[in-house]
Amino acid sequence: MCGIAGILSNDIDLRGQKPLIEDISNTLKMRGPDAKGEYITADTALIHRRLSVIDVEKGSQPMRFGKYIIVYNGELYNTDEVRNELKSFGYSFDTHCDTEVVLKAFDRWKEDSVKRLNGIFAYAVYDEKEKSLFAARDRIGVKPFYYTKKKNTFAFASRIKSLLLVPNVSRKVDEEGINEIFMLGPAKTIGKAVFKDISELPPAYYLTYKDGRLDIKQYWRITAEENHETEKEAQEHTYALVKDSVERQLVSDVPLAAFLSGGLDSSIITKIASDKYAERGERFNTYSVDYTDNDLYFKKSAFQPNKDSDYVGLMSGAVNSVHHNVVLNNIDVADALAQATDARGVPGFADVDSSLLLFCKEVKKDFTVCLSGECADEIFGGYPWYHRKEILFEDCFPWSRTTDVRRSILTDGFLPKGEEYARNAYEQTLKQTSYLDGENDFDRRMREMFILNMNWFMQTLLVRKDVMSMESSLEVRVPFCDYRLVEYAYNLPWSIKALDGREKGILRKAFENDLPYEIAWRKKSPYPKTHNPEYFKRVCELADVVFEDKSTPLYQWINKSALDRLIENPDSLSEPWYGQLMRVPQIVAYIYQIYVWIKNYKVEFVI
């Protein structure tokens, strides 16, 4: 993986902007600590920071072929197929890295080339003769791509922070951006980046830029199609797609491992990877995360029925992996909230972010690439809200069913259209759902839930995984995000997807003979968070600064007495702020992250 950035401008002579280009490059250093490269002319600058994974010696960027120059961030999982097709047209290759394949695919098929790629990517190709730019992002949105257009300057980057260095790009956040933070956060609307001057290229879109004209087009979307497979056929199909996706993502010229929680998804990945390593006489490495003294304070709930630590050893032993258990200090998890916020560029997912950041830093000491099980829950119906009808048919985001707790901690009159903003975001998402003619209300709702989860909950987790891992210079791949698997799962009848009335039933059935029974049929449990009161205490100490520092508007926006009541009575919270993991300690952490973001990013509010 890498960090990319670029500027096309008729207002600035970029040959005289070496300090600016160097500063932008440095914001991407953690994404690419192994090498850096630049392409600079009077009106164009392309910047690349490389984390070397494939063809370490020859894969330098920016890479040129004819009139085209590319900066690329990602991994292509059908490299061999695309390369072989290009060879049939007479192309030859000097490297075995996927960057060269993507570049020459563009030379051959132009904009249509992106439709041939299976992988996780964000890249830009500059045409020297036409002075135009083409940029694309992967279908699911695993890799980030932000951009800005101000006057006659267009710029793009892997990070929000990078774009804030571009001349004339302001740090202004208007009411829409504030609503994103308080009414939807830590999720955000696809295409938005909170800052007024910065946008996100949505997943499955590409853009072209030339002579001040910016055009954005969608190249892929999920569509409803008939599926008449039997239960056995669906089981075999699911197995084949998952296995193929994982095996494709094991290609690496540097050490590779996997995150193992002891849950279904990570265990499937671990099993497939371990089998491939065993074929060549090697043991596979796995990593799990826990918190100091977490066992002493864990409490079962409907959302978190059991601890991962009870199952990690069982799975590791079953595949004979070399297992590493990372135990995080609770104070460190709280103190890392600031770095996690700085890395994201906007307020984030509280300790769900900061713990992953610390975890990835530990993994990075020995490995450069890891596999992770994100997205299986969204596409195979793993979350409780898929199965509880009283939630399923509520006309709202199922992970944030009410804005009441959000509204309760804000001062009277602040964000008067906040609920309307959140409601509109929900309704606009439903319009993106594809149905089959004649589907009943239940089947239509399950398709809506799929799109809601993929476009919101999954995006939140993918941003988290990319940002926190790359801040640690660790590449994380997510096999369940293979678009072939996503398309297939969208069209699986619910009776098969939820086989035996279980969350992810078809996935369990497909792999039940490959996994220990206790893991194949283990009840879904979310990402492990700390239950230690030491963390909550430290977060409250950190958040005290919010009301001690009157230099930020947050002091006027937050209802301190309401927040204090939550802190004093955390069990009074009837609904989490967001999903299964953001309860009172995480709400307090989120408020602190907003404060850190305002201060560190020197945010200017215009409301």
PDB file of all heavy atoms in Angstrom, residues 588-605:
ATOM      1  N   VAL A 588     -17.918   9.868  25.544  1.00  0.00           N
ATOM      2  CA  VAL A 588     -17.000  10.837  26.140  1.00  0.00           C
ATOM      3  C   VAL A 588     -15.715  10.916  25.318  1.00  0.00           C
ATOM      4  O   VAL A 588     -15.188  12.005  25.062  1.00  0.00           O
ATOM      5  CB  VAL A 588     -16.681  10.453  27.605  1.00  0.00           C
ATOM      6  CG1 VAL A 588     -15.686  11.437  28.206  1.00  0.00           C
ATOM      7  CG2 VAL A 588     -17.961  10.408  28.441  1.00  0.00           C
ATOM      8  N   ALA A 589     -15.229   9.762  24.882  1.00  0.00           N
ATOM      9  CA  ALA A 589     -14.020   9.737  24.050  1.00  0.00           C
ATOM     10  C   ALA A 589     -14.252  10.471  22.737  1.00  0.00           C
ATOM     11  O   ALA A 589     -13.357  11.170  22.235  1.00  0.00           O
ATOM     12  CB  ALA A 589     -13.599   8.293  23.789  1.00  0.00           C
ATOM     13  N   TYR A 590     -15.431  10.318  22.174  1.00  0.00           N
ATOM     14  CA  TYR A 590     -15.755  10.977  20.904  1.00  0.00           C
ATOM     15  C   TYR A 590     -15.766  12.499  21.066  1.00  0.00           C
ATOM     16  O   TYR A 590     -15.254  13.232  20.204  1.00  0.00           O
ATOM     17  CB  TYR A 590     -17.107  10.478  20.403  1.00  0.00           C
ATOM     18  CG  TYR A 590     -17.486  10.948  19.018  1.00  0.00           C
ATOM     19  CD1 TYR A 590     -16.739  10.573  17.904  1.00  0.00           C
ATOM     20  CD2 TYR A 590     -18.610  11.743  18.819  1.00  0.00           C
ATOM     21  CE1 TYR A 590     -17.107  10.985  16.620  1.00  0.00           C
ATOM     22  CE2 TYR A 590     -18.985  12.160  17.546  1.00  0.00           C
ATOM     23  CZ  TYR A 590     -18.230  11.780  16.447  1.00  0.00           C
ATOM     24  OH  TYR A 590     -18.586  12.195  15.194  1.00  0.00           O
ATOM     25  N   ILE A 591     -16.339  12.974  22.159  1.00  0.00           N
ATOM     26  CA  ILE A 591     -16.331  14.418  22.431  1.00  0.00           C
ATOM     27  C   ILE A 591     -14.890  14.914  22.537  1.00  0.00           C
ATOM     28  O   ILE A 591     -14.534  15.977  21.998  1.00  0.00           O
ATOM     29  CB  ILE A 591     -17.091  14.742  23.735  1.00  0.00           C
ATOM     30  CG1 ILE A 591     -18.562  14.302  23.630  1.00  0.00           C
ATOM     31  CG2 ILE A 591     -16.984  16.227  24.065  1.00  0.00           C
ATOM     32  CD1 ILE A 591     -19.322  14.937  22.501  1.00  0.00           C
ATOM     33  N   TYR A 592     -14.051  14.148  23.205  1.00  0.00           N
ATOM     34  CA  TYR A 592     -12.633  14.511  23.305  1.00  0.00           C
ATOM     35  C   TYR A 592     -11.978  14.517  21.922  1.00  0.00           C
ATOM     36  O   TYR A 592     -11.183  15.412  21.609  1.00  0.00           O
ATOM     37  CB  TYR A 592     -11.915  13.538  24.237  1.00  0.00           C
ATOM     38  CG  TYR A 592     -10.421  13.731  24.270  1.00  0.00           C
ATOM     39  CD1 TYR A 592      -9.854  14.884  24.813  1.00  0.00           C
ATOM     40  CD2 TYR A 592      -9.570  12.761  23.740  1.00  0.00           C
ATOM     41  CE1 TYR A 592      -8.475  15.060  24.831  1.00  0.00           C
ATOM     42  CE2 TYR A 592      -8.192  12.924  23.760  1.00  0.00           C
ATOM     43  CZ  TYR A 592      -7.651  14.081  24.298  1.00  0.00           C
ATOM     44  OH  TYR A 592      -6.284  14.255  24.312  1.00  0.00           O
ATOM     45  N   GLN A 593     -12.310  13.547  21.082  1.00  0.00           N
ATOM     46  CA  GLN A 593     -11.741  13.515  19.737  1.00  0.00           C
ATOM     47  C   GLN A 593     -12.168  14.734  18.918  1.00  0.00           C
ATOM     48  O   GLN A 593     -11.375  15.266  18.130  1.00  0.00           O
ATOM     49  CB  GLN A 593     -12.162  12.232  19.015  1.00  0.00           C
ATOM     50  CG  GLN A 593     -11.438  10.981  19.515  1.00  0.00           C
ATOM     51  CD  GLN A 593     -11.677   9.781  18.612  1.00  0.00           C
ATOM     52  OE1 GLN A 593     -12.824   9.389  18.407  1.00  0.00           O
ATOM     53  NE2 GLN A 593     -10.610   9.218  18.086  1.00  0.00           N
ATOM     54  N   ILE A 594     -13.400  15.180  19.087  1.00  0.00           N
ATOM     55  CA  ILE A 594     -13.849  16.388  18.392  1.00  0.00           C
ATOM     56  C   ILE A 594     -12.993  17.578  18.824  1.00  0.00           C
ATOM     57  O   ILE A 594     -12.556  18.394  18.000  1.00  0.00           O
ATOM     58  CB  ILE A 594     -15.343  16.665  18.664  1.00  0.00           C
ATOM     59  CG1 ILE A 594     -16.207  15.526  18.115  1.00  0.00           C
ATOM     60  CG2 ILE A 594     -15.762  17.994  18.043  1.00  0.00           C
ATOM     61  CD1 ILE A 594     -17.679  15.623  18.505  1.00  0.00           C
ATOM     62  N   TYR A 595     -12.737  17.653  20.119  1.00  0.00           N
ATOM     63  CA  TYR A 595     -11.906  18.744  20.643  1.00  0.00           C
ATOM     64  C   TYR A 595     -10.496  18.688  20.054  1.00  0.00           C
ATOM     65  O   TYR A 595      -9.957  19.711  19.592  1.00  0.00           O
ATOM     66  CB  TYR A 595     -11.843  18.657  22.173  1.00  0.00           C
ATOM     67  CG  TYR A 595     -10.857  19.612  22.797  1.00  0.00           C
ATOM     68  CD1 TYR A 595     -11.203  20.946  23.027  1.00  0.00           C
ATOM     69  CD2 TYR A 595      -9.575  19.191  23.133  1.00  0.00           C
ATOM     70  CE1 TYR A 595     -10.287  21.828  23.579  1.00  0.00           C
ATOM     71  CE2 TYR A 595      -8.659  20.067  23.693  1.00  0.00           C
ATOM     72  CZ  TYR A 595      -9.020  21.385  23.902  1.00  0.00           C
ATOM     73  OH  TYR A 595      -8.110  22.257  24.449  1.00  0.00           O
ATOM     74  N   VAL A 596      -9.895  17.521  20.071  1.00  0.00           N
ATOM     75  CA  VAL A 596      -8.538  17.353  19.528  1.00  0.00           C
ATOM     76  C   VAL A 596      -8.497  17.744  18.060  1.00  0.00           C
ATOM     77  O   VAL A 596      -7.571  18.414  17.597  1.00  0.00           O
ATOM     78  CB  VAL A 596      -8.071  15.892  19.712  1.00  0.00           C
ATOM     79  CG1 VAL A 596      -6.798  15.622  18.909  1.00  0.00           C
ATOM     80  CG2 VAL A 596      -7.833  15.589  21.184  1.00  0.00           C
ATOM     81  N   TRP A 597      -9.513  17.333  17.330  1.00  0.00           N
ATOM     82  CA  TRP A 597      -9.590  17.648  15.898  1.00  0.00           C
ATOM     83  C   TRP A 597      -9.677  19.158  15.673  1.00  0.00           C
ATOM     84  O   TRP A 597      -8.950  19.712  14.821  1.00  0.00           O
ATOM     85  CB  TRP A 597     -10.813  16.938  15.319  1.00  0.00           C
ATOM     86  CG  TRP A 597     -11.162  17.303  13.916  1.00  0.00           C
ATOM     87  CD1 TRP A 597     -10.441  17.031  12.791  1.00  0.00           C
ATOM     88  CD2 TRP A 597     -12.343  17.992  13.483  1.00  0.00           C
ATOM     89  NE1 TRP A 597     -11.094  17.500  11.686  1.00  0.00           N
ATOM     90  CE2 TRP A 597     -12.264  18.096  12.081  1.00  0.00           C
ATOM     91  CE3 TRP A 597     -13.454  18.509  14.142  1.00  0.00           C
ATOM     92  CZ2 TRP A 597     -13.267  18.712  11.330  1.00  0.00           C
ATOM     93  CZ3 TRP A 597     -14.447  19.107  13.396  1.00  0.00           C
ATOM     94  CH2 TRP A 597     -14.347  19.209  12.010  1.00  0.00           C
ATOM     95  N   ILE A 598     -10.524  19.833  16.417  1.00  0.00           N
ATOM     96  CA  ILE A 598     -10.664  21.286  16.274  1.00  0.00           C
ATOM     97  C   ILE A 598      -9.334  21.989  16.534  1.00  0.00           C
ATOM     98  O   ILE A 598      -8.923  22.878  15.779  1.00  0.00           O
ATOM     99  CB  ILE A 598     -11.747  21.827  17.231  1.00  0.00           C
ATOM    100  CG1 ILE A 598     -13.133  21.313  16.817  1.00  0.00           C
ATOM    101  CG2 ILE A 598     -11.745  23.354  17.248  1.00  0.00           C
ATOM    102  CD1 ILE A 598     -14.226  21.626  17.827  1.00  0.00           C
ATOM    103  N   LYS A 599      -8.658  21.568  17.588  1.00  0.00           N
ATOM    104  CA  LYS A 599      -7.390  22.208  17.961  1.00  0.00           C
ATOM    105  C   LYS A 599      -6.273  21.882  16.975  1.00  0.00           C
ATOM    106  O   LYS A 599      -5.574  22.779  16.491  1.00  0.00           O
ATOM    107  CB  LYS A 599      -6.984  21.777  19.377  1.00  0.00           C
ATOM    108  CG  LYS A 599      -7.942  22.198  20.472  1.00  0.00           C
ATOM    109  CD  LYS A 599      -7.912  23.707  20.724  1.00  0.00           C
ATOM    110  CE  LYS A 599      -6.681  24.109  21.496  1.00  0.00           C
ATOM    111  NZ  LYS A 599      -6.729  25.538  21.898  1.00  0.00           N
ATOM    112  N   ASN A 600      -6.084  20.601  16.691  1.00  0.00           N
ATOM    113  CA  ASN A 600      -4.952  20.183  15.862  1.00  0.00           C
ATOM    114  C   ASN A 600      -5.102  20.584  14.400  1.00  0.00           C
ATOM    115  O   ASN A 600      -4.109  20.862  13.723  1.00  0.00           O
ATOM    116  CB  ASN A 600      -4.739  18.670  15.965  1.00  0.00           C
ATOM    117  CG  ASN A 600      -4.229  18.243  17.318  1.00  0.00           C
ATOM    118  OD1 ASN A 600      -4.042  19.066  18.217  1.00  0.00           O
ATOM    119  ND2 ASN A 600      -4.007  16.960  17.498  1.00  0.00           N
ATOM    120  N   TYR A 601      -6.334  20.572  13.917  1.00  0.00           N
ATOM    121  CA  TYR A 601      -6.570  20.921  12.520  1.00  0.00           C
ATOM    122  C   TYR A 601      -6.926  22.398  12.328  1.00  0.00           C
ATOM    123  O   TYR A 601      -7.183  22.829  11.210  1.00  0.00           O
ATOM    124  CB  TYR A 601      -7.666  20.026  11.929  1.00  0.00           C
ATOM    125  CG  TYR A 601      -7.130  18.705  11.427  1.00  0.00           C
ATOM    126  CD1 TYR A 601      -6.771  17.694  12.312  1.00  0.00           C
ATOM    127  CD2 TYR A 601      -6.959  18.467  10.066  1.00  0.00           C
ATOM    128  CE1 TYR A 601      -6.267  16.489  11.853  1.00  0.00           C
ATOM    129  CE2 TYR A 601      -6.458  17.267   9.597  1.00  0.00           C
ATOM    130  CZ  TYR A 601      -6.105  16.272  10.499  1.00  0.00           C
ATOM    131  OH  TYR A 601      -5.598  15.085  10.033  1.00  0.00           O
ATOM    132  N   LYS A 602      -6.945  23.138  13.434  1.00  0.00           N
ATOM    133  CA  LYS A 602      -7.246  24.578  13.373  1.00  0.00           C
ATOM    134  C   LYS A 602      -8.522  24.839  12.558  1.00  0.00           C
ATOM    135  O   LYS A 602      -8.562  25.657  11.635  1.00  0.00           O
ATOM    136  CB  LYS A 602      -6.063  25.356  12.783  1.00  0.00           C
ATOM    137  CG  LYS A 602      -4.779  25.230  13.604  1.00  0.00           C
ATOM    138  CD  LYS A 602      -3.644  25.993  12.959  1.00  0.00           C
ATOM    139  CE  LYS A 602      -2.403  26.004  13.835  1.00  0.00           C
ATOM    140  NZ  LYS A 602      -1.871  24.660  14.117  1.00  0.00           N
ATOM    141  N   VAL A 603      -9.573  24.117  12.937  1.00  0.00           N
ATOM    142  CA  VAL A 603     -10.823  24.158  12.192  1.00  0.00           C
ATOM    143  C   VAL A 603     -11.491  25.527  12.337  1.00  0.00           C
ATOM    144  O   VAL A 603     -11.548  26.108  13.427  1.00  0.00           O
ATOM    145  CB  VAL A 603     -11.784  23.059  12.689  1.00  0.00           C
ATOM    146  CG1 VAL A 603     -13.085  23.097  11.891  1.00  0.00           C
ATOM    147  CG2 VAL A 603     -11.126  21.688  12.559  1.00  0.00           C
ATOM    148  N   GLU A 604     -11.996  26.046  11.211  1.00  0.00           N
ATOM    149  CA  GLU A 604     -12.741  27.300  11.206  1.00  0.00           C
ATOM    150  C   GLU A 604     -14.213  26.972  10.939  1.00  0.00           C
ATOM    151  O   GLU A 604     -14.546  26.391   9.907  1.00  0.00           O
ATOM    152  CB  GLU A 604     -12.218  28.224  10.101  1.00  0.00           C
ATOM    153  CG  GLU A 604     -10.727  28.517  10.189  1.00  0.00           C
ATOM    154  CD  GLU A 604     -10.206  29.177   8.917  1.00  0.00           C
ATOM    155  OE1 GLU A 604     -11.036  29.762   8.170  1.00  0.00           O
ATOM    156  OE2 GLU A 604      -8.996  29.086   8.651  1.00  0.00           O
ATOM    157  N   PHE A 605     -15.081  27.338  11.844  1.00  0.00           N
ATOM    158  CA  PHE A 605     -16.498  27.022  11.691  1.00  0.00           C
ATOM    159  C   PHE A 605     -17.256  28.204  11.100  1.00  0.00           C
ATOM    160  O   PHE A 605     -17.056  29.356  11.512  1.00  0.00           O
ATOM    161  CB  PHE A 605     -17.102  26.624  13.040  1.00  0.00           C
ATOM    162  CG  PHE A 605     -16.573  25.310  13.548  1.00  0.00           C
ATOM    163  CD1 PHE A 605     -15.567  25.273  14.506  1.00  0.00           C
ATOM    164  CD2 PHE A 605     -17.057  24.112  13.052  1.00  0.00           C
ATOM    165  CE1 PHE A 605     -15.065  24.073  14.974  1.00  0.00           C
ATOM    166  CE2 PHE A 605     -16.555  22.898  13.504  1.00  0.00           C
ATOM    167  CZ  PHE A 605     -15.555  22.879  14.467  1.00  0.00           C
TER     168      PHE A 605
END
